[in-house]
Amino acid sequence: MLFYSFFKTLVGKEIAVELKNDVVLTGTLHSVDQYLNIKLTTVKVVNQERYPQLTTLKNCLIRGSVVRYVQINPTDVDTELLQDATRKENSGSAGSGA
């Protein structure tokens, strides 16, 4: 749930998503769900010469299982909030030791 919560804080920010088939899309993060499916608006393809069929793409929904990387502008990341959330998640799971 940590990644889901983190991505929810990035809604409205510009991100780049690299897919497992080497396509890289940039756009504004519109929404994300618990499966890390990503909806982008104002989509642009990074390598338009290689993927001309994607140049007319405006909005898209990307299935979470096909995402290789998500690139985020470092200024959009609240590191203190992320560190606090990580500490809370780790302290909660430390006592459950199965």
Coordinates of all heavy atoms in Angstrom, one line a residue:
M1 N 0.8 -1.2 0.0 CA 0.0 0.0 0.0 C 0.9 1.3 0.0 O 0.4 2.3 -0.3 CB -0.9 0.0 1.2 CG -2.0 -1.0 1.1 SD -3.1 -0.9 -0.3 CE -4.1 0.5 0.1
L2 N 2.1 1.1 0.3 CA 3.0 2.3 0.4 C 3.2 2.9 -1.0 O 3.0 4.2 -1.1 CB 4.4 1.9 1.0 CG 5.4 3.0 1.1 CD1 4.9 4.1 2.1 CD2 6.7 2.5 1.5
F3 N 3.4 2.1 -2.0 CA 3.5 2.7 -3.3 C 2.2 3.3 -3.8 O 2.3 4.4 -4.4 CB 4.0 1.6 -4.3 CG 5.4 1.2 -4.2 CD1 5.7 -0.1 -3.7 CD2 6.4 2.1 -4.5 CE1 7.0 -0.4 -3.5 CE2 7.8 1.7 -4.3 CZ 8.1 0.5 -3.8
Y4 N 1.1 2.7 -3.6 CA -0.2 3.2 -3.9 C -0.4 4.6 -3.3 O -0.7 5.6 -4.0 CB -1.3 2.3 -3.6 CG -2.7 2.8 -3.7 CD1 -3.2 3.2 -5.0 CD2 -3.5 3.0 -2.6 CE1 -4.4 3.7 -5.1 CE2 -4.8 3.5 -2.8 CZ -5.2 3.9 -4.0 OH -6.5 4.4 -4.2
S5 N -0.1 4.7 -2.0 CA -0.3 6.0 -1.3 C 0.7 7.0 -1.9 O 0.3 8.2 -2.0 CB 0.0 5.8 0.2 OG -0.9 4.9 0.7
F6 N 1.9 6.6 -2.2 CA 2.9 7.5 -2.7 C 2.4 8.1 -4.1 O 2.5 9.3 -4.3 CB 4.2 6.8 -2.8 CG 5.3 7.6 -3.6 CD1 5.7 8.8 -3.0 CD2 5.7 7.2 -4.8 CE1 6.7 9.6 -3.7 CE2 6.6 8.0 -5.5 CZ 7.1 9.1 -4.9
F7 N 2.0 7.2 -5.0 CA 1.5 7.6 -6.3 C 0.3 8.5 -6.2 O 0.1 9.4 -7.1 CB 1.3 6.4 -7.2 CG 2.6 5.9 -7.8 CD1 3.0 4.6 -7.5 CD2 3.4 6.6 -8.6 CE1 4.1 4.1 -8.0 CE2 4.5 6.1 -9.2 CZ 4.9 4.8 -8.9
K8 N -0.6 8.3 -5.2 CA -1.7 9.2 -5.1 C -1.3 10.6 -4.8 O -2.0 11.5 -5.2 CB -2.6 8.7 -3.9 CG -3.3 7.4 -4.2 CD -4.4 7.5 -5.2 CE -5.7 8.1 -4.6 NZ -6.8 8.1 -5.5
T9 N -0.2 10.8 -4.2 CA 0.3 12.2 -3.9 C 0.8 12.8 -5.2 O 1.0 14.1 -5.2 CB 1.4 12.2 -2.8 OG1 2.6 11.5 -3.3 CG2 1.0 11.6 -1.6
L10 N 1.1 12.1 -6.2 CA 1.6 12.6 -7.5 C 0.6 12.9 -8.5 O 0.9 13.3 -9.6 CB 2.6 11.6 -8.1 CG 3.9 11.3 -7.2 CD1 4.7 10.2 -7.8 CD2 4.7 12.6 -7.0
V11 N -0.7 12.8 -8.2 CA -1.8 13.0 -9.2 C -1.7 14.5 -9.6 O -1.5 15.4 -8.8 CB -3.2 12.7 -8.6 CG1 -4.3 13.3 -9.5 CG2 -3.3 11.2 -8.4
G12 N -1.7 14.7 -10.9 CA -1.6 16.1 -11.4 C -0.1 16.5 -11.8 O 0.1 17.5 -12.4
K13 N 0.8 15.6 -11.5 CA 2.2 15.9 -11.8 C 2.6 15.2 -13.1 O 2.0 14.2 -13.6 CB 3.1 15.3 -10.7 CG 2.8 15.8 -9.3 CD 3.1 17.3 -9.1 CE 2.8 17.6 -7.7 NZ 3.0 19.0 -7.4
E14 N 3.7 15.7 -13.7 CA 4.2 15.2 -15.0 C 5.1 14.0 -14.6 O 6.0 14.1 -13.8 CB 5.0 16.2 -15.7 CG 5.4 15.9 -17.1 CD 4.2 16.1 -18.1 OE1 3.2 16.7 -17.7 OE2 4.3 15.5 -19.2
I15 N 4.9 12.8 -15.3 CA 5.7 11.6 -15.1 C 6.0 11.0 -16.4 O 5.4 11.3 -17.4 CB 5.0 10.6 -14.1 CG1 3.8 10.0 -14.8 CG2 4.8 11.2 -12.8 CD1 3.2 8.8 -14.0
A16 N 7.0 10.1 -16.4 CA 7.4 9.3 -17.6 C 7.2 7.8 -17.1 O 7.7 7.4 -16.1 CB 8.8 9.6 -18.0
V17 N 6.6 7.0 -18.0 CA 6.4 5.6 -17.7 C 7.1 4.8 -18.8 O 6.8 5.0 -20.0 CB 4.9 5.3 -17.6 CG1 4.7 3.8 -17.3 CG2 4.2 6.1 -16.6
E18 N 8.0 3.9 -18.4 CA 8.6 3.0 -19.3 C 8.0 1.7 -19.2 O 7.9 1.1 -18.1 CB 10.1 2.9 -19.1 CG 10.8 2.0 -20.1 CD 12.3 1.9 -19.8 OE1 12.9 2.8 -19.2 OE2 12.9 0.8 -20.2
L19 N 7.5 1.2 -20.3 CA 6.8 -0.1 -20.3 C 7.8 -1.3 -20.6 O 8.9 -1.0 -21.1 CB 5.7 -0.1 -21.4 CG 4.7 1.0 -21.3 CD1 3.7 0.9 -22.5 CD2 4.1 1.1 -20.0
K20 N 7.4 -2.5 -20.3 CA 8.3 -3.6 -20.5 C 8.6 -3.9 -22.0 O 9.6 -4.6 -22.3 CB 7.6 -4.9 -19.9 CG 7.6 -4.8 -18.4 CD 7.0 -6.1 -17.8 CE 7.0 -6.0 -16.3 NZ 6.4 -7.2 -15.7
N21 N 7.8 -3.3 -22.9 CA 8.1 -3.5 -24.3 C 9.0 -2.3 -24.9 O 9.0 -2.0 -26.1 CB 6.8 -3.6 -25.2 CG 6.0 -2.4 -25.1 OD1 6.2 -1.4 -24.4 ND2 4.9 -2.4 -25.8
D22 N 9.6 -1.5 -24.0 CA 10.5 -0.4 -24.3 C 9.9 0.9 -24.7 O 10.6 1.8 -25.1 CB 11.6 -0.9 -25.3 CG 12.5 -1.9 -24.7 OD1 12.7 -1.9 -23.5 OD2 12.9 -2.8 -25.5
V23 N 8.5 0.9 -24.7 CA 7.9 2.2 -25.1 C 7.9 3.1 -23.8 O 7.7 2.7 -22.7 CB 6.4 2.0 -25.4 CG1 5.6 3.3 -25.6 CG2 6.3 1.1 -26.7
V24 N 8.3 4.4 -24.1 CA 8.3 5.4 -23.0 C 7.3 6.4 -23.3 O 7.3 7.1 -24.3 CB 9.7 6.0 -22.8 CG1 9.7 7.0 -21.7 CG2 10.8 4.9 -22.6
L25 N 6.3 6.6 -22.3 CA 5.3 7.6 -22.5 C 5.4 8.6 -21.4 O 5.7 8.3 -20.2 CB 3.9 6.9 -22.3 CG 3.6 5.8 -23.3 CD1 2.3 5.1 -22.9 CD2 3.4 6.4 -24.7
T26 N 5.2 9.9 -21.7 CA 5.2 11.0 -20.7 C 3.8 11.6 -20.7 O 3.1 11.5 -21.7 CB 6.2 12.1 -21.0 OG1 5.9 12.7 -22.3 CG2 7.6 11.5 -21.0
G27 N 3.4 12.1 -19.6 CA 2.1 12.7 -19.4 C 1.8 13.1 -18.0 O 2.6 12.9 -17.1
T28 N 0.6 13.6 -17.8 CA 0.2 14.0 -16.5 C -0.5 12.9 -15.8 O -1.5 12.3 -16.4 CB -0.7 15.2 -16.6 OG1 -0.1 16.3 -17.3 CG2 -1.1 15.8 -15.3
L29 N -0.1 12.6 -14.6 CA -0.8 11.5 -13.9 C -2.2 11.9 -13.5 O -2.4 12.9 -12.8 CB 0.0 11.1 -12.6 CG -0.5 10.0 -11.8 CD1 -0.6 8.7 -12.5 CD2 0.3 9.8 -10.5
H30 N -3.2 11.2 -14.0 CA -4.6 11.5 -13.8 C -5.1 10.7 -12.6 O -5.8 11.2 -11.7 CB -5.4 11.3 -15.0 CG -6.9 11.6 -14.8 ND1 -7.8 10.7 -14.4 CD2 -7.5 12.8 -15.0 CE1 -9.0 11.3 -14.3 NE2 -8.8 12.5 -14.7
S31 N -4.8 9.4 -12.5 CA -5.2 8.6 -11.4 C -4.3 7.3 -11.4 O -3.7 7.0 -12.3 CB -6.7 8.2 -11.6 OG -6.9 7.5 -12.7
V32 N -4.4 6.6 -10.2 CA -3.7 5.4 -10.0 C -4.6 4.6 -9.1 O -5.3 5.1 -8.3 CB -2.3 5.6 -9.4 CG1 -2.4 6.2 -8.1 CG2 -1.5 4.3 -9.4
D33 N -4.7 3.2 -9.3 CA -5.5 2.4 -8.4 C -4.6 1.4 -7.6 O -3.4 1.5 -7.7 CB -6.6 1.6 -9.2 CG -6.0 0.6 -10.2 OD1 -4.8 0.3 -10.2 OD2 -6.8 0.1 -11.0
Q34 N -5.3 0.6 -6.8 CA -4.5 -0.3 -5.9 C -3.7 -1.3 -6.6 O -2.7 -1.9 -6.1 CB -5.5 -1.0 -4.9 CG -6.4 -2.0 -5.5 CD -7.7 -1.4 -6.0 OE1 -7.8 -0.2 -6.2 NE2 -8.7 -2.3 -6.1
Y35 N -3.9 -1.6 -7.9 CA -3.1 -2.5 -8.7 C -2.0 -1.7 -9.5 O -1.3 -2.3 -10.3 CB -4.0 -3.2 -9.8 CG -5.1 -4.0 -9.1 CD1 -6.4 -3.5 -9.2 CD2 -4.8 -5.2 -8.4 CE1 -7.5 -4.2 -8.6 CE2 -5.9 -5.8 -7.8 CZ -7.2 -5.4 -7.9 OH -8.2 -6.1 -7.3
L36 N -1.8 -0.5 -9.2 CA -0.9 0.4 -9.8 C -1.1 0.6 -11.3 O -0.2 0.8 -12.0 CB 0.6 0.0 -9.5 CG 0.9 0.0 -8.0 CD1 2.4 -0.4 -7.8 CD2 0.6 1.3 -7.3
N37 N -2.4 0.4 -11.7 CA -2.7 0.8 -13.1 C -2.7 2.3 -13.1 O -3.1 3.0 -12.2 CB -4.1 0.3 -13.4 CG -4.2 -1.2 -13.4 OD1 -3.3 -1.9 -13.8 ND2 -5.4 -1.7 -13.0
I38 N -2.1 2.9 -14.2 CA -1.9 4.3 -14.2 C -2.7 4.9 -15.4 O -2.6 4.4 -16.5 CB -0.4 4.6 -14.5 CG1 0.4 4.1 -13.3 CG2 -0.1 6.0 -14.8 CD1 1.9 4.1 -13.5
K39 N -3.4 6.0 -15.1 CA -4.1 6.7 -16.2 C -3.3 8.0 -16.4 O -3.1 8.8 -15.5 CB -5.5 7.0 -15.8 CG -6.3 7.7 -16.9 CD -7.7 7.9 -16.7 CE -8.4 8.5 -17.9 NZ -9.8 8.8 -17.6
L40 N -2.9 8.2 -17.7 CA -2.2 9.4 -18.1 C -3.0 10.3 -19.0 O -3.8 9.8 -19.8 CB -0.9 9.1 -18.8 CG 0.2 8.4 -18.0 CD1 1.4 8.1 -19.0 CD2 0.7 9.3 -16.9
T41 N -2.9 11.6 -18.9 CA -3.5 12.5 -19.8 C -2.4 13.3 -20.5 O -1.3 13.3 -20.0 CB -4.5 13.5 -19.1 OG1 -3.8 14.2 -18.1 CG2 -5.7 12.7 -18.5
T42 N -2.7 14.0 -21.5 CA -1.7 14.8 -22.3 C -0.4 13.9 -22.6 O 0.7 14.3 -22.3 CB -1.3 16.1 -21.7 OG1 -0.7 15.8 -20.4 CG2 -2.5 17.0 -21.5
V43 N -0.7 12.7 -23.2 CA 0.4 11.7 -23.4 C 1.2 12.1 -24.6 O 0.7 12.5 -25.7 CB -0.3 10.4 -23.6 CG1 0.8 9.3 -24.0 CG2 -1.0 9.9 -22.4
K44 N 2.5 11.9 -24.5 CA 3.5 12.0 -25.6 C 4.4 10.8 -25.6 O 4.7 10.3 -24.5 CB 4.3 13.3 -25.4 CG 3.5 14.6 -25.5 CD 4.4 15.8 -25.4 CE 3.5 17.0 -25.4 NZ 3.8 17.8 -24.2
V45 N 4.7 10.4 -26.8 CA 5.6 9.2 -26.9 C 7.1 9.8 -27.1 O 7.3 10.7 -27.8 CB 5.3 8.4 -28.2 CG1 6.2 7.2 -28.3 CG2 3.9 7.9 -28.1
V46 N 8.0 9.2 -26.3 CA 9.4 9.8 -26.3 C 10.0 9.5 -27.7 O 10.6 10.4 -28.2 CB 10.2 9.2 -25.1 CG1 11.6 9.5 -25.3 CG2 9.6 9.7 -23.8
N47 N 9.9 8.3 -28.2 CA 10.6 7.9 -29.5 C 9.5 7.8 -30.6 O 9.1 6.7 -30.9 CB 11.3 6.6 -29.3 CG 12.2 6.3 -30.5 OD1 12.2 7.0 -31.5 ND2 13.1 5.3 -30.3
Q48 N 9.1 9.0 -31.1 CA 8.0 9.0 -32.1 C 8.4 8.3 -33.4 O 7.5 7.8 -34.1 CB 7.5 10.4 -32.3 CG 6.9 11.0 -31.1 CD 6.4 12.4 -31.4 OE1 6.5 13.0 -32.4 NE2 5.8 13.0 -30.4
E49 N 9.6 8.3 -33.8 CA 10.1 7.7 -35.0 C 9.9 6.2 -34.9 O 9.5 5.5 -35.9 CB 11.5 8.0 -35.3 CG 11.8 9.5 -35.6 CD 11.9 10.3 -34.3 OE1 12.4 9.7 -33.3 OE2 11.6 11.5 -34.3
R50 N 10.1 5.6 -33.8 CA 10.1 4.2 -33.6 C 8.6 3.7 -33.4 O 8.3 2.6 -33.8 CB 10.9 3.7 -32.4 CG 11.0 2.3 -32.3 CD 12.0 1.9 -31.2 NE 12.0 0.4 -31.0 CZ 12.6 -0.2 -30.1 NH1 13.3 0.5 -29.2 NH2 12.6 -1.5 -30.0
Y51 N 7.8 4.6 -32.8 CA 6.4 4.2 -32.6 C 5.4 5.2 -33.1 O 4.7 5.9 -32.4 CB 6.1 4.1 -31.1 CG 7.1 3.1 -30.4 CD1 8.2 3.6 -29.6 CD2 7.0 1.7 -30.5 CE1 9.0 2.7 -29.0 CE2 7.8 0.8 -29.9 CZ 8.9 1.3 -29.1 OH 9.7 0.5 -28.6
P52 N 5.4 5.4 -34.5 CA 4.5 6.4 -35.1 C 3.0 6.2 -34.8 O 2.2 7.1 -34.8 CB 4.9 6.3 -36.6 CG 5.4 5.0 -36.8 CD 6.1 4.6 -35.5
Q53 N 2.6 4.9 -34.6 CA 1.2 4.6 -34.4 C 0.7 5.2 -33.0 O -0.5 5.3 -32.8 CB 1.0 3.1 -34.4 CG 1.6 2.3 -33.3 CD 3.0 1.9 -33.5 OE1 3.8 2.5 -34.3 NE2 3.4 0.9 -32.8
L54 N 1.6 5.6 -32.2 CA 1.2 6.1 -30.8 C 1.2 7.7 -30.8 O 0.9 8.2 -29.7 CB 2.2 5.6 -29.8 CG 2.2 4.1 -29.6 CD1 3.2 3.7 -28.5 CD2 0.8 3.6 -29.2
T55 N 1.5 8.3 -31.9 CA 1.6 9.8 -31.9 C 0.3 10.5 -31.7 O 0.3 11.6 -31.2 CB 2.3 10.3 -33.1 OG1 1.6 9.9 -34.3 CG2 3.8 9.9 -33.2
T56 N -0.8 9.8 -32.0 CA -2.1 10.4 -31.9 C -2.7 10.2 -30.5 O -3.8 10.7 -30.2 CB -3.1 9.9 -33.0 OG1 -3.2 8.5 -32.8 CG2 -2.6 10.3 -34.4
L57 N -2.0 9.4 -29.7 CA -2.5 9.1 -28.4 C -2.6 10.3 -27.5 O -1.7 11.1 -27.4 CB -1.5 8.1 -27.7 CG -2.0 7.3 -26.5 CD1 -3.2 6.4 -26.9 CD2 -0.8 6.4 -26.0
K58 N -3.8 10.5 -26.9 CA -4.0 11.7 -26.0 C -4.1 11.3 -24.5 O -3.5 11.9 -23.7 CB -5.3 12.4 -26.4 CG -5.4 12.9 -27.8 CD -4.9 14.3 -27.9 CE -5.1 14.8 -29.3 NZ -4.1 14.6 -30.3
N59 N -4.9 10.2 -24.2 CA -5.0 9.7 -22.9 C -4.8 8.2 -23.0 O -5.1 7.6 -24.0 CB -6.5 10.0 -22.4 CG -6.8 11.4 -22.4 OD1 -6.0 12.3 -22.0 ND2 -8.0 11.7 -23.0
C60 N -4.4 7.6 -21.9 CA -4.2 6.2 -21.9 C -4.3 5.6 -20.4 O -4.0 6.3 -19.5 CB -2.9 5.7 -22.5 SG -1.5 6.2 -21.7
L61 N -4.7 4.4 -20.4 CA -4.7 3.6 -19.1 C -3.6 2.5 -19.3 O -3.7 1.7 -20.2 CB -6.0 3.0 -18.8 CG -6.1 2.1 -17.6 CD1 -6.0 2.9 -16.3 CD2 -7.4 1.3 -17.6
I62 N -2.7 2.5 -18.4 CA -1.6 1.5 -18.5 C -1.7 0.5 -17.3 O -1.8 0.9 -16.2 CB -0.2 2.3 -18.3 CG1 -0.1 3.3 -19.4 CG2 0.9 1.3 -18.4 CD1 1.1 4.3 -19.1
R63 N -1.8 -0.7 -17.7 CA -1.9 -1.8 -16.7 C -0.6 -1.9 -15.9 O 0.5 -1.8 -16.4 CB -2.1 -3.1 -17.5 CG -2.4 -4.3 -16.6 CD -2.6 -5.6 -17.4 NE -2.5 -6.7 -16.5 CZ -3.5 -7.5 -16.3 NH1 -4.6 -7.4 -16.9 NH2 -3.3 -8.6 -15.5
G64 N -0.8 -2.0 -14.6 CA 0.4 -1.9 -13.7 C 1.4 -3.0 -14.0 O 2.6 -2.8 -13.8
S65 N 1.0 -4.2 -14.5 CA 1.9 -5.3 -14.7 C 2.8 -5.1 -15.9 O 3.8 -5.9 -16.0 CB 1.1 -6.6 -14.8 OG 0.3 -6.6 -16.0
V66 N 2.5 -4.1 -16.7 CA 3.4 -3.9 -17.9 C 4.4 -2.7 -17.7 O 5.1 -2.4 -18.6 CB 2.6 -3.7 -19.2 CG1 1.7 -4.9 -19.5 CG2 1.8 -2.4 -19.1
V67 N 4.4 -2.2 -16.5 CA 5.2 -1.0 -16.2 C 6.6 -1.5 -15.7 O 6.7 -2.4 -14.9 CB 4.6 -0.1 -15.1 CG1 5.6 1.0 -14.7 CG2 3.3 0.5 -15.6
R68 N 7.7 -1.0 -16.4 CA 9.0 -1.3 -15.9 C 9.5 -0.3 -15.0 O 10.0 -0.6 -13.9 CB 10.0 -1.4 -17.2 CG 11.4 -1.8 -16.8 CD 12.3 -1.8 -18.0 NE 11.9 -2.9 -18.8 CZ 12.2 -2.9 -20.2 NH1 12.7 -1.9 -20.7 NH2 11.8 -4.0 -20.9
Y69 N 9.4 1.0 -15.3 CA 9.9 2.1 -14.5 C 8.9 3.3 -14.6 O 8.2 3.4 -15.6 CB 11.2 2.7 -15.0 CG 12.4 1.7 -15.0 CD1 13.0 1.3 -16.1 CD2 12.9 1.3 -13.8 CE1 14.0 0.4 -16.1 CE2 14.0 0.4 -13.7 CZ 14.5 0.0 -14.9 OH 15.6 -0.9 -14.9
V70 N 8.8 4.0 -13.5 CA 8.1 5.3 -13.5 C 9.1 6.4 -13.1 O 9.8 6.2 -12.0 CB 6.9 5.3 -12.5 CG1 6.3 6.7 -12.4 CG2 5.9 4.2 -12.8
Q71 N 9.3 7.3 -13.9 CA 10.3 8.4 -13.7 C 9.5 9.6 -13.2 O 8.6 10.1 -13.8 CB 11.1 8.7 -14.9 CG 11.9 7.6 -15.4 CD 12.5 7.8 -16.8 OE1 12.4 8.9 -17.3 NE2 13.2 6.8 -17.3
I72 N 10.0 10.2 -12.0 CA 9.3 11.3 -11.4 C 10.3 12.4 -11.2 O 11.5 12.2 -10.9 CB 8.8 10.8 -10.0 CG1 8.0 9.6 -10.1 CG2 8.1 11.9 -9.3 CD1 7.8 8.8 -8.8
N73 N 9.8 13.6 -11.4 CA 10.7 14.8 -11.1 C 11.0 14.8 -9.6 O 10.1 14.7 -8.8 CB 9.9 16.1 -11.5 CG 10.7 17.3 -11.4 OD1 11.8 17.3 -10.8 ND2 10.3 18.3 -12.1
P74 N 12.3 14.9 -9.2 CA 12.7 14.9 -7.8 C 12.0 16.0 -7.0 O 11.8 15.8 -5.8 CB 14.2 15.1 -7.9 CG 14.6 14.7 -9.2 CD 13.5 15.0 -10.1
T75 N 11.7 17.1 -7.6 CA 11.1 18.1 -6.8 C 9.6 17.8 -6.4 O 9.1 18.4 -5.5 CB 11.1 19.5 -7.6 OG1 10.4 19.3 -8.8 CG2 12.5 19.9 -7.8
D76 N 9.0 16.8 -7.1 CA 7.6 16.4 -6.8 C 7.6 15.4 -5.6 O 6.5 15.1 -5.2 CB 7.0 15.8 -8.0 CG 6.8 16.8 -9.1 OD1 6.7 18.0 -8.8 OD2 6.7 16.4 -10.3
V77 N 8.7 14.9 -5.1 CA 8.7 13.9 -4.1 C 8.9 14.6 -2.7 O 9.9 15.3 -2.5 CB 9.8 12.9 -4.4 CG1 9.9 11.8 -3.3 CG2 9.7 12.2 -5.7
D78 N 8.0 14.3 -1.8 CA 8.1 14.7 -0.5 C 8.8 13.7 0.3 O 8.2 12.7 0.8 CB 6.7 15.0 0.1 CG 6.7 15.6 1.5 OD1 7.8 15.7 2.1 OD2 5.6 15.9 2.0
T79 N 10.1 13.8 0.4 CA 10.9 12.7 1.0 C 10.6 12.5 2.5 O 10.7 11.4 3.0 CB 12.4 13.0 0.9 OG1 12.7 14.3 1.4 CG2 12.8 13.0 -0.6
E80 N 10.3 13.6 3.2 CA 10.0 13.4 4.7 C 8.7 12.6 4.8 O 8.7 11.7 5.7 CB 9.8 14.8 5.3 CG 11.1 15.5 5.6 CD 10.9 16.8 6.4 OE1 10.0 16.8 7.3 OE2 11.7 17.7 6.2
L81 N 7.7 12.9 4.0 CA 6.5 12.1 4.1 C 6.7 10.6 3.7 O 6.2 9.7 4.4 CB 5.4 12.7 3.2 CG 4.1 12.0 3.1 CD1 3.4 12.2 4.5 CD2 3.2 12.6 2.0
L82 N 7.5 10.4 2.7 CA 7.9 9.0 2.3 C 8.7 8.3 3.4 O 8.4 7.1 3.6 CB 8.7 9.1 1.0 CG 8.8 7.8 0.2 CD1 7.5 7.2 -0.1 CD2 9.6 8.1 -1.1
Q83 N 9.6 9.0 4.0 CA 10.4 8.3 5.1 C 9.5 8.0 6.3 O 9.6 6.9 6.9 CB 11.5 9.2 5.5 CG 12.6 9.3 4.5 CD 13.7 10.4 4.8 OE1 13.5 11.1 5.7 NE2 14.8 10.4 4.1
D84 N 8.6 8.9 6.6 CA 7.7 8.6 7.8 C 6.8 7.4 7.5 O 6.6 6.6 8.3 CB 6.9 9.9 8.1 CG 7.7 11.0 8.7 OD1 8.8 10.7 9.2 OD2 7.2 12.1 8.7
A85 N 6.3 7.4 6.3 CA 5.4 6.3 5.9 C 6.1 5.0 5.9 O 5.6 3.9 6.3 CB 4.8 6.6 4.5
T86 N 7.4 5.0 5.4 CA 8.2 3.8 5.4 C 8.5 3.3 6.9 O 8.4 2.1 7.1 CB 9.5 4.0 4.7 OG1 9.2 4.5 3.4 CG2 10.4 2.8 4.6
R87 N 8.8 4.2 7.7 CA 9.1 3.9 9.1 C 7.8 3.3 9.8 O 7.9 2.3 10.5 CB 9.5 5.1 9.9 CG 10.9 5.5 9.7 CD 11.4 6.6 10.7 NE 12.5 7.2 10.1 CZ 12.6 8.4 9.6 NH1 11.5 9.2 9.5 NH2 13.7 8.9 9.1
K88 N 6.7 3.9 9.5 CA 5.4 3.3 10.1 C 5.1 1.9 9.6 O 4.7 1.1 10.3 CB 4.3 4.3 9.8 CG 4.3 5.5 10.6 CD 3.1 6.4 10.2 CE 3.2 7.8 10.9 NZ 2.2 8.7 10.5
E89 N 5.3 1.7 8.3 CA 5.0 0.4 7.7 C 6.0 -0.6 8.3 O 5.6 -1.7 8.6 CB 5.1 0.5 6.2 CG 4.6 -0.8 5.5 CD 4.4 -0.7 4.1 OE1 3.5 0.1 3.7 OE2 5.2 -1.3 3.3
N90 N 7.3 -0.3 8.4 CA 8.3 -1.2 9.0 C 8.0 -1.5 10.4 O 8.2 -2.6 10.9 CB 9.7 -0.7 8.8 CG 10.1 -0.8 7.3 OD1 9.6 -1.6 6.6 ND2 11.1 0.0 6.9
S91 N 7.6 -0.5 11.2 CA 7.4 -0.8 12.6 C 6.1 -1.6 12.8 O 6.0 -2.4 13.8 CB 7.3 0.6 13.4 OG 6.1 1.3 13.0
G92 N 5.2 -1.4 11.9 CA 3.9 -2.2 12.0 C 4.2 -3.7 11.7 O 3.5 -4.6 12.2
S93 N 5.1 -4.0 10.8 CA 5.3 -5.3 10.3 C 6.4 -6.0 11.2 O 6.5 -7.2 11.1 CB 5.7 -5.4 8.9 OG 6.9 -4.7 8.7
A94 N 7.1 -5.3 12.0 CA 8.2 -5.9 12.8 C 7.7 -6.8 13.9 O 8.3 -7.8 14.2 CB 9.1 -4.8 13.4
G95 N 6.5 -6.4 14.4 CA 6.0 -7.3 15.5 C 5.2 -8.5 15.0 O 4.9 -9.4 15.8
S96 N 5.0 -8.6 13.7 CA 4.2 -9.7 13.3 C 5.0 -10.9 12.9 O 4.5 -12.0 12.7 CB 3.4 -9.3 12.0 OG 4.3 -9.0 11.0
G97 N 6.3 -10.9 12.9 CA 7.3 -11.9 12.5 C 6.8 -13.3 12.4 O 6.7 -14.1 13.4
A98 N 6.4 -13.7 11.2 CA 5.9 -15.0 11.0 C 6.9 -16.0 10.5 O 7.9 -15.8 9.9 CB 4.8 -15.0 9.9

